[in-house]
Amino acid sequence: MAVLPARIAPRVHAIAAHRGFADALVAGLVPRYADAELGLVRLTLLLPSTRAIRTVTEAFIRHFGESGSARAGLLLPRMVVVGDLDLDEALGPLLDPLDAGAAIPPAVEPTRRWLRLAELIALERPGLPGAARLRLAHETARTMDRLLTEEIAPDELLGDLVLDTLGELAGHWRDSLALFARLQARWRHELEERGEVDAAARRNLLFRHAAQVWRNDPPATPVIAAGVTSAAPALARLLRVVSELPQGGVVLPDFDLALPTHVWDELGYAGAPDAVPPLARGDAVTHPQYHLKLLLNRMGVAREEVQPWHRAGLGAAPPSRSQALSSLFLPPSASRSWIDLPPEKRRMAGVRLMTSANPEEEAQAIALLVREALEVPTRRVSVVTPDRGLAGRVAHHLRRWSIQADDSAGVPLPQTAAGRLFLLLAETGAQGAAPVPLVGLLQHPLVQAGDPATRARWLERVRRLDLLLRGPRRAPGLDAIGAVAGDGPLGEWWARIVPILAPLVEGAGAPLADLMDRLVTAGEELAGEALWAREDGRALAGFVEDLRLHSRAVGTMLDPAELPAALREAMERVAVRPPYGGHPRVSIYGLLESRMGRADLVICGGLNEGVWPATPATDPLLAPAVLRALGVPGADFRIGLAAHDLAGALGAPEVVLSRAERDVGGPAIASRFWLRVQALLGEDLLPRHTETRIPDLARKLDTSGYDPAHPRPRPVPTAEQRQVRISVTALDRLRSDPYQFYASSILRLKELQPLDAEPDAAWRGTAAHAILEAWHRSGRPLAEVAEEELARLGQHPLMLALWRPRLLQGLTWAAAEIARHPEREPALFEEWGEMEVRGVAIFGKVDRIDRLPGGELAVIDYKTGRTPTGREVEAGYALQLGTLGLMARAGGFPEVEGEPTAFEYWTLAKSRTSETGFGAVITPLLVGAKRSGIPPDDFLPEAERYLHDALDRWILGDEPFTARLNPDAPGYATYDQLMRLDEWMGEL
């Protein structure tokens, strides 16, 4: 019978935050385990992540460089990843050398599990859309992993602790729990048939096997677990075994040995063996030491058994920093001691607080701090922030000084060039070649990126098509785009693109693997090898191959309309990390990447609520009460991890805490950690720790000095430039805002509508005029003519469905109004006219002219929007009808003769007096009970007077075309940016 080795007291050490974990670890390992001939190769280090391996490797290099022994060679220890709940590391194969491979089933591929869970959800929820099923499948997999990591058996979901909470839960939580239980049962049955286990379950089995083997047969070489903070039960038991090995040990990062015992007890049960439930409602899960207490409890190690590490790192901070950190994160009741805390325990020498006005200014200030720090040789700088947008802006600002510092946390795949192209292909197909994704796809930087000349010709055609597609969306499909492109060179170019995009646009519901094949084929035809060439392309290739392989095996079906959403969510989980080669002394980290790292200056950015710490995300399937009953850390547990990350960063020799007072949504709330630092420092110490010089410099960096306000534009063109033909609508604009006339009629700058523009008044007016003109000329039924004209306009069916009923109601009223007055004879429809006044050509298009019984004329203008008010008519800002009347009287419309005496706006807008709810006749004349307008006998004389006044002042005279000459006049905002309105309007 084998005799088990005697139990050894656990060797658990802690490195305080101010010592610098990686450097302190190396400083202690080298003298203890280094061999003159073999170096450190006999030592095995169990580290939490591949990032930690890199960090410790760099610490070894620094140590040997400082000690002067690097010339003798450097044999590093064997470093393997043991696991971390927050990093997606495949840990199983690293433990296979322990001869566990044959006994432990293989792990199912994560992508296959995700897709199969979506199929199982379809059986439970048949009506759920495909993208929603995939989203729910991802959340289900995450919840399964949490339970597996915590070694929660499926039958525990129906245990007494959970059942006792059901009465307190809302109905949707009970339904979610039942759904999750059924899905888990189905999935476990499928895994048993395949002889596989989930990755988290395999990891637990490997941990259990390693613990058993090492307990019965301890390794002959040293094994040290360093920096592992995950409190997973199986891993905690393994760490206990490692701590009891004859040559083993566990080293915890940023563990606070100075924390008073009563504060440690106030943290709560934290998974204590005799606690029921293991995680109580009152546990201080947001405290930075809580997860370490949870780990020690699961290891079965008392806090008193943890010993301080015997060495400090190269860049250690003052020891007094640890005392301040202990006080900084005290639980609520213990924080009352701040009142009597002496200054020496509140001192945070080397820590500064920096406030900026907005995220852009914050990024600029952080970049300046980095640039200033690099002036000191060998000084290392780290920027730590969970805000990836802030990290990207900092990296961008650093390029001003040729400092390459990419975000080591990576960029989500959809935000890379290759990822955006792939998603644009999916969106183009899903939206039937809608203008926005189509133009975005065709002008993407990777499309035709090989030869510059070819790329230039390609972009020229794309821009021509872009201009033609501006305005309200046309009918979906490639044929509608072809009709716009025409038969010329642009049409020939488009004809070559159609076969590439046709499989995407014309495809129906299909297997997901086939949809991926179509995207890949179209992408390669448009971009060639450039799609896969760089690091983002390689990440995309791996994502596509993995998804294509498993979706084909599973048989996943998906509607192409749901493909963009499903792809985007899946690609968001893929991070594209930059290749090495950036500045050797500058790093930009996320919170996970920053763990165990150390620099001489650490800048913590984005210290606002919702960023650091992030807003807790509740598990969508299991209620917080259920998780607490099962002993699974809840959403607030992540706040404690974020606090621990900040505590580790605050251990650097010099630290700058940074936040912006505003974000994109408005005023930002300072992080609870930031407020604690301010409260701890107090009014007497806070001013000494406030950084104001760098934000002031950041504001001045891009300021060229005093910039006087832009003057109000008053252009004065030459007499030759003023000789232009004037439309009747432009004449009104000339009188109300001369600058708009100058920009549109003299400079000939026309407004460029956006792609997929909303149907504006101009479009509705064009449609209404076209329908009325065709109806008047053909005499056919109005509804029939309207359908033909709307179809001819070729607009998107959804837009037509929204606007057709209102438009037809107004047109029906117009037809009924004409029939109601048989004594009036419509004589002219949609005709152009022209007259010459003092050598200036005045032209315009009249909507309709009726001949009255006495031979007089009625000038009518159709309106789909608002009509001018009487005050605007009196001021001369809306005399289009009067100018058309002058034109008719002067013979500008050869087909009609007579004296215009009636002037009417026929509005098709909503009206309370109309039988159809739309339509009304409004006159600019001062008649009846109206209080504003121009008397009938004065209308044409006033129009003529205003006409000559405008000619005298601006066309034949030399008066400047002053911007917003009449601020109260109605106008458009088309040229507001050109006239720089906001810069001078307030000075008037």
Side-chain angles (χ1 to χ4, degrees):
M1 180 176 178
V3 179
L4 296 178
R7 269 299 166 87
I8 301 176
R11 283 186 292 272
V12 181
H13 295 84
I15 298 178
H18 75 278
R19 288 176 174 261
F21 183 82
D23 289 320
L25 176 70
V26 169
L29 292 177
V30 170
R32 178 175 294 185
Y33 298 108
D35 183 272
E37 295 181 359
L38 298 178
L40 294 165
V41 294
R42 292 168 53 83
L43 173 65
T44 299
L45 284 180
L46 302 181
L47 298 173
S49 65
T50 53
R51 165 62 63 180
I53 291 179
R54 180 182 175 186
T55 300
V56 173
T57 300
E58 293 172 349
F60 273 115
I61 295 172
R62 285 194 298 272
H63 176 84
F64 280 90
E66 289 289 332
S67 63
S69 57
R71 288 172 292 181
L74 182 63
L75 295 176
L76 294 178
R78 178 173 183 254
M79 290 180 277
V80 296
V81 176
V82 70
D84 190 300
L85 187 61
D86 297 313
L87 291 176
D88 185 18
E89 300 292 347
L91 304 179
L94 297 174
L95 297 177
D96 281 344
L98 296 173
D99 199 24
I104 298 176
V108 65
E109 288 291 335
T111 304
R112 176 183 175 83
R113 178 178 69 160
W114 170 49
L115 297 175
R116 277 300 301 152
L117 286 175
E119 297 300 308
L120 297 178
I121 290 172
L123 299 177
E124 295 285 342
R125 301 280 179 85
L128 202 62
R133 289 200 307 268
L134 292 171
R135 187 181 308 115
L136 183 57
H138 173 66
E139 297 295 341
T140 302
R142 288 182 57 187
T143 304
M144 286 182 177
D145 284 342
R146 293 182 68 182
L147 298 184
L148 289 171
T149 300
E150 296 293 326
E151 297 184 327
I152 305 297
D155 54 1
E156 292 187 50
L157 289 174
L158 303 177
D160 293 338
L161 290 176
V162 175
L163 293 178
D164 290 343
T165 66
L166 291 182
E168 304 174 3
L169 299 180
H172 73 279
W173 281 122
R174 292 195 294 269
D175 294 342
S176 295
L177 177 60
L179 173 64
F180 178 78
R182 292 195 299 271
L183 290 174
Q184 190 178 42
R186 288 175 180 265
W187 175 241
R188 286 175 61 85
H189 177 71
E190 185 170 319
L191 284 179
E192 291 174 0
E193 290 183 342
R194 292 178 56 86
E196 295 176 336
V197 293
D198 287 305
R202 175 174 168 82
R203 197 174 297 133
N204 289 340
L205 293 173
L206 290 168
F207 291 155
R208 189 177 302 124
H209 183 81
Q212 180 180 358
V213 171
W214 284 350
R215 182 182 296 111
N216 297 332
D217 186 13
T221 57
V223 178
I224 301 296
V228 180
T229 60
S230 172
L235 180 55
R237 291 192 294 270
L238 174 61
L239 294 179
R240 172 67 189 235
V241 171
V242 171
S243 71
E244 294 176 340
L245 294 176
Q247 300 185 72
V250 174
V251 186
L252 299 177
D254 306 332
F255 186 77
D256 188 3
L257 289 173
L259 199 67
T261 302
H262 72 278
V263 176
W264 180 261
D265 294 338
E266 192 178 331
L267 297 184
Y269 294 152
D274 56 347
V276 179
L279 302 180
R281 185 185 295 270
D283 281 9
V285 295
T286 61
H287 193 277
Q289 297 293 307
Y290 181 85
H291 69 293
L292 294 176
K293 182 175 183 178
L294 179 63
L295 173 60
L296 288 179
N297 283 340
R298 288 178 172 178
M299 288 176 63
V301 175
R303 179 169 177 256
E304 293 74 15
E305 296 180 279
V306 181
Q307 302 298 317
W309 189 246
H310 53 284
R311 293 294 179 97
L314 294 174
S320 60
R321 185 78 61 78
S322 285
Q323 296 179 347
L325 291 180
S326 293
S327 302
L328 178 63
F329 293 104
L330 289 175
S333 60
S335 61
R336 291 193 297 266
S337 63
W338 287 358
I339 300 174
D340 303 320
L341 202 64
E344 60 270 15
K345 291 190 176 182
R346 293 191 286 119
R347 186 174 295 116
M348 300 183 71
V351 177
R352 291 175 284 166
L353 284 76
M354 183 176 72
T355 303
S356 305
N358 52 66
E360 181 61 28
E361 184 179 296
E362 182 183 13
Q364 180 77 279
I366 292 175
L368 280 171
L369 285 169
V370 174
R371 178 65 184 88
E372 182 182 56
L374 292 179
E375 286 296 302
V376 180
T378 73
R379 196 176 196 199
R380 293 174 293 137
V381 187
S382 291
V383 178
V384 181
T385 177
D387 185 348
R388 307 280 41 93
L390 176 62
R393 286 190 291 271
V394 171
H396 176 76
H397 282 297
L398 287 174
R399 296 190 189 108
R400 174 195 296 246
W401 300 290
S402 300
I403 299 173
Q404 186 69 30
D406 293 320
D407 182 5
S408 63
V411 179
L413 184 55
Q415 297 180 21
T416 65
R420 285 196 301 270
L421 176 60
F422 205 70
L423 284 176
L424 283 170
L425 286 165
E427 291 171 2
T428 299
Q431 298 182 31
V436 171
L438 176 65
V439 173
L441 170 66
L442 296 178
Q443 66 183 10
H444 191 279
L446 294 182
V447 174
Q448 301 294 317
D451 178 48
T454 303
R455 169 75 176 171
R457 290 192 296 270
W458 177 274
L459 286 179
E460 180 184 356
R461 293 180 174 89
V462 173
R463 287 161 185 159
R464 289 174 56 194
L465 181 63
D466 179 6
L467 292 175
L468 294 174
L469 293 177
R470 296 278 170 158
R473 183 186 296 191
R474 292 165 174 78
L478 300 174
D479 292 340
I481 307 295
V484 173
D487 299 327
L490 184 62
E492 297 174 359
W493 169 79
W494 174 252
R496 295 194 297 271
I497 297 177
V498 169
I500 300 175
L501 301 181
L504 306 179
V505 176
E506 299 170 0
L512 178 58
D514 291 349
L515 296 178
M516 299 295 290
D517 289 339
R518 297 174 191 174
L519 295 179
V520 170
T521 302
E524 290 179 342
E525 290 192 34
L526 288 173
E529 295 182 359
L531 180 60
W532 320 109
R534 301 178 59 191
E535 62 271 9
D536 57 338
R538 291 188 287 273
L540 176 64
F543 168 81
V544 169
E545 287 304 315
D546 183 56
L547 184 57
R548 189 160 52 178
L549 172 67
H550 293 293
S551 62
R552 183 167 281 119
V554 171
T556 304
M557 300 291 293
L558 194 66
D559 189 330
E562 299 183 89
L563 183 60
L567 280 181
R568 182 178 297 278
E569 292 182 4
M571 292 168 66
E572 284 285 351
R573 301 191 284 269
V574 179
V576 180
R577 290 178 170 83
Y580 298 137
H583 197 287
R585 293 192 285 134
V586 180
S587 303
I588 301 179
Y589 293 135
L591 297 189
L592 300 182
E593 292 75 24
S594 70
R595 295 174 184 174
M596 298 178 59
R598 178 50 56 94
D600 301 294
L601 170 63
V602 175
I603 306 167
C604 301
L607 278 164
N608 283 329
E609 282 296 306
V611 179
W612 194 347
T615 303
T618 304
D619 191 296
L621 290 167
L622 300 183
V626 173
L627 294 175
R628 191 165 49 249
L630 292 172
V632 179
D636 287 345
F637 186 72
R638 297 288 176 183
I639 298 179
L641 297 180
H644 189 258
D645 293 330
L646 181 61
L650 282 169
E654 186 177 353
V655 181
V656 176
L657 306 181
S658 173
R659 67 171 294 261
E661 294 178 329
R662 298 182 63 87
D663 58 19
V664 294
I669 301 174
S671 167
R672 65 192 71 186
F673 308 143
W674 174 283
L675 297 177
R676 278 180 167 265
V677 173
Q678 286 184 320
L680 179 65
L681 290 173
E683 296 181 357
D684 52 340
L685 293 178
L686 183 58
R688 308 180 198 174
H689 291 267
T690 301
E691 174 62 56
T692 58
R693 180 179 59 88
I694 292 297
D696 290 342
L697 184 58
R699 284 187 285 269
K700 296 175 182 177
L701 190 61
D702 293 321
T703 302
S704 58
Y706 174 70
D707 188 12
H710 190 271
R712 186 181 196 176
R714 291 181 174 86
V716 183
T718 64
E720 290 76 16
Q721 293 172 329
R722 295 172 187 257
Q723 293 296 319
V724 294
R725 301 175 73 243
I726 306 176
S727 69
V728 293
T729 54
L731 189 61
D732 285 346
R733 191 177 303 121
L734 174 61
R735 287 189 289 259
S736 60
D737 188 351
Y739 187 87
Q740 290 201 29
F741 177 88
Y742 168 78
S744 62
S745 298
I746 297 180
L747 296 183
R748 299 186 183 278
L749 298 177
K750 303 302 180 185
E751 182 178 15
L752 187 63
Q753 286 188 296
L755 292 168
D756 268 356
E758 289 291 330
D760 55 8
W763 179 87
R764 297 193 299 270
T766 300
H769 286 84
I771 294 170
L772 288 170
E773 179 181 3
W775 175 60
H776 284 307
R777 296 186 186 280
S778 66
R780 296 160 52 206
L782 179 60
E784 180 181 325
V785 173
E787 292 298 331
E788 288 185 3
E789 289 299 318
L790 289 175
R792 185 182 59 81
L793 290 174
Q795 302 303 320
H796 194 274
L798 177 60
M799 189 196 72
L800 292 180
L802 293 174
W803 287 103
R804 182 189 287 111
R806 296 182 61 178
L807 192 59
L808 289 181
Q809 288 285 71
L811 294 173
T812 301
W813 167 84
E817 188 68 18
I818 292 174
R820 193 176 295 117
H821 299 282
E823 72 281 0
R824 295 175 55 157
E825 175 191 356
L828 205 61
F829 312 103
E830 301 292 339
E831 289 290 346
W832 289 96
E834 184 172 342
M835 67 178 177
E836 186 172 305
V837 180
R838 299 166 62 185
V840 178
I842 311 294
F843 68 96
K845 190 176 187 180
V846 67
D847 293 344
R848 196 176 96 217
I849 296 180
D850 288 356
R851 189 176 302 281
L852 301 179
E856 301 88 353
L857 302 179
V859 182
I860 299 168
D861 185 24
Y862 290 116
K863 293 288 186 183
T864 54
R866 65 177 291 273
T867 57
T869 66
R871 299 296 183 189
E872 293 167 1
V873 173
E874 291 176 355
Y877 305 149
L879 288 174
Q880 176 183 350
L881 285 177
T883 308
L884 289 171
L886 293 174
M887 194 179 299
R889 189 175 65 180
F893 300 102
E895 298 181 14
V896 295
E897 295 181 359
E899 179 70 18
T901 58
F903 304 91
E904 298 168 348
Y905 294 112
W906 284 38
T907 175
L908 307 182
K910 284 186 177 181
S911 173
R912 298 179 180 177
T913 61
S914 172
E915 296 178 356
T916 64
F918 292 85
V921 177
I922 300 173
T923 178
L925 304 179
L926 184 60
V927 294
K930 290 187 62 178
R931 297 183 179 181
S932 60
I934 299 177
D937 294 340
D938 298 336
F939 190 69
L940 287 182
E942 278 294 285
E944 188 171 16
R945 182 178 69 83
Y946 277 116
L947 170 60
H948 286 285
D949 177 67
L951 296 179
D952 288 337
R953 296 170 63 185
W954 292 290
I955 305 302
L956 303 177
D958 57 1
E959 186 164 329
F961 290 80
T962 305
R964 291 294 172 95
L965 182 62
N966 303 290
D968 58 329
Y972 298 97
T974 306
Y975 303 102
D976 284 359
Q977 186 176 9
L978 181 66
M979 67 175 68
R980 299 170 69 167
L981 178 68
D982 292 339
E983 298 183 42
W984 53 264
M985 190 64 180
E987 303 294 329
L988 298 181

